[in-house]
Structure formats: C-alpha cells, structure tokens
C-alpha cells in the first residue's frame, strides 16, 4: 500500500500482479524444496527473532489503532491520550487477555474480544447494524478478482516489487511457521519443522489464489498461535476456522461496521 500504491503511484492491481508472480515462484521453489532448504539453513534463534518481530509489529498496529500510541516528529512514537473511550477499551481488553492467559484460561483472547466488544457497544464506539440488514449475500468480487496487469510483467518496477515481496514473504513465513510450530510443540531438537514442505506449498498456493481473487496475500499468519495456545494442533483447526469465515460472508454487515463518528 505505502510503497507500490502511494510511493510508486501504481494501481492496486499492479501490486496484486507482483504478489501473483511471487506466488508462482513460491510454488516452484516449494516443489523443488528450495524453500525447505532455506527454512532449514536459517538459525533457530533468527527464526524465533522473526516471529517475535512480527508479534511486536501486530502489537504496534493495535496500540496505534486504539490511540494508545501516536506519531511524534521528535521521537517517532509517543504516548497517546489514555482518557478516550477507544484507549480505555483497549486497556481493558489487553489486561483481560493478559490476566486470563497468565492463569492459563482457555479462550483468554476470545473473552477479551467479547468483553471489549460489549464495552464498545455500551459506550457507542461501535454499533450493530439493523436486524433487517444483518443477513445478506456476500458482496461481489467482480471488481477486484482477476484484475492483473499483464502488460507490466516485464518492467523493472514489477521485478523490483515482486522481488521485495518474495524476500519479505520468505522470511515472514519462516518466522511465522517457527513461532506457531513452537507453540504447538512441533519443532524438533534441531529447530526444524518436520513436513515443512507441505506447509510451504500450501502457503504458496494461497498466495496465488489470493492475488487472483483480489485480496491481500493469503499466507501463514502468526495469529494462528492464539488457536494453538487453546489446543488447536491438527488441520481440523484450520478447517473449522475456514468454515466460520465462510459463514461470516453472509454476516458481512456485522463485520463491516463503521463507527458512528466516522459516518457523521
């Protein structure tokens, strides 16, 4: 978004084309076990460092979205206004999740989400849509699906963007798989993940499909560690998640709520 769309001035379809191409390369690298070799060659300490970095980045997004952290020209980041409704809800959710997780309560993150949602509804930070509009057909993807820019495939800009995405995705996936697999006790004594080639191939296919359908990269997400922490260890966890995501398509208005102040 910031580099390709805002920085280089290209359309979103240009970026998705780069994602599609790096996904194809991923599939080829996965078939020939090149990605598995890269995964094995990276020191275990570096793999863990990548997963920690991703976690800190997600935490930063949450803190900035809630207003706990704001931009500052002098120090880059500074403390935000803790007296706003959004900040209060974020603090309550954070402490709820932290305390329940420390007490090893299964579903700690889910409880935090539920409690913060209820508080947000009570304080007016968010609201439910009307009952009549709650259930609807999923929105069409015809305006975003299969809109690839084939005419720019051989350009230098496309190559540079594709290579950057490729590089970032490789290490992002390596770190994420390490973090999630460690949480699931699947890492062997040498710091490697048995059967990692299957996971990497699945990741590559998801990347290609996501680009074709017009969405951001479908890849391995470190948030999966929350499900693993609550007992998810097999593919049934992923299938269950996929099923509920499919159901959520028909509850689209519920998951696309716009805060009242944003609509004024």
């Amino acid at each position: 978004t910031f580099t390709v769309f805002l920085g280089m001035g290209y359309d979103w379809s240009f970026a998705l084309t780069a994602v599609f191409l790096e996904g194809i390369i991923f599939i080829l690298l996965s078939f020939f076990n090149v990605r598995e070799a890269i995964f094995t060659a990276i020191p275990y300490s570096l793999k863990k460092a990548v997963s920690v970095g991703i976690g800190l980045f997600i935490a930063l997004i949450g803190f900035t979205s809630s207003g706990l952290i704001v931009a500052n020209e002098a120090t880059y980041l500074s403390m935000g206004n803790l007296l706003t409704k959004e900040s209060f809800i974020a603090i309550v959710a954070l402490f709820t999740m932290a305390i329940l997780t420390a007490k090893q309560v299964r579903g700690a993150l889910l409880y935090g989400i539920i409690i913060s949602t209820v508080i947000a509804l009570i304080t007016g930070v968010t609201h439910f849509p009307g009952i009549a509009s709650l259930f609807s057909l999923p929105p069409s993807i015809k305006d975003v699906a299969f809109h690839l820019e084939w005419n720019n495939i051989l350009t230098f800009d496309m190559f540079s963007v594709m290579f950057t995405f490729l590089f970032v995705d490789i290490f992002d996936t390596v770190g994420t798989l390490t973090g999630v697999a460690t949480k699931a006790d699947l890492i062997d004594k040498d710091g490697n993940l048995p059967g990692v080639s299957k996971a990497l191939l699945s990741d590559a296919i998801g990347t290609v499909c996501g680009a074709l359908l017009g969405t951001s990269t479908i890849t391995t997400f470190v948030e999966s560690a929350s499900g693993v922490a609550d007992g998810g260890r097999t593919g049934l966890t992923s299938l269950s998640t996929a099923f509920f995501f499919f159901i959520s398509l028909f509850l689209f208005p519920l998951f696309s709520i716009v805060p009242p102040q944003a609509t004024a």
Side-chain angles (χ1 to χ4, degrees), residues 26 29 35 38 165-175:
F26 266 166
L29 294 179
R35 288 184 74 184
I38 295 175
F165 286 170
L166 182 69
F167 184 83
V168 171
D169 209 355
I170 286 178
F171 288 96
D172 176 44
T173 303
V174 167

Side-chain angles (χ1 to χ4, degrees), residues 50-69:
V50 173
S51 61
V52 171
I54 297 172
L56 291 174
F57 177 63
I58 294 174
L60 178 62
I61 294 175
F63 288 154
T64 53
S65 298
S66 61
L68 293 177
I69 291 179

Side-chain angles (χ1 to χ4, degrees), residues 50-129:
V50 173
S51 61
V52 171
I54 297 172
L56 291 174
F57 177 63
I58 294 174
L60 178 62
I61 294 175
F63 288 154
T64 53
S65 298
S66 61
L68 293 177
I69 291 179
V70 295
N72 187 297
E73 292 184 0
T75 60
Y76 294 102
L77 295 175
S78 63
M79 187 70 71
N81 184 0
L82 304 184
L83 300 180
T84 64
K85 296 178 182 179
E86 292 80 5
S87 297
F88 171 75
I89 294 171
I91 294 173
V92 170
L94 183 62
F95 274 93
T96 299
M97 294 176 183
I99 293 173
L100 294 180
T101 300
K103 292 182 174 295
Q104 298 183 343
V105 176
R106 181 165 293 184
L109 300 184
L110 180 60
Y111 292 137
I113 293 173
I114 293 175
I115 291 174
S116 59
T117 301
V118 172
I119 297 176
L121 290 170
I122 294 175
T123 57
V125 172
T126 188
H127 69 284
F128 279 116

Side-chain angles (χ1 to χ4, degrees), residues 16-28 35 146 148 150 169 201-219:
L16 287 183
T17 303
V19 173
F20 171 77
L21 294 176
E22 60 107 350
I24 294 296
I25 296 176
F26 266 166
I27 292 178
L28 295 176
R35 288 184 74 184
F146 303 102
L148 302 182
W150 301 111
D169 209 355
L201 179 59
S202 175
D203 180 87
I205 294 174
T207 299
V208 172
C209 292
L212 288 176
L213 295 177
T215 186
S216 55
T217 309
I218 300 176
T219 185

Side-chain angles (χ1 to χ4, degrees), residues 232-244:
R233 293 291 191 278
T234 68
L236 182 60
T237 305
S238 300
L239 291 176
S240 301
T241 302
F243 171 76
F244 285 111

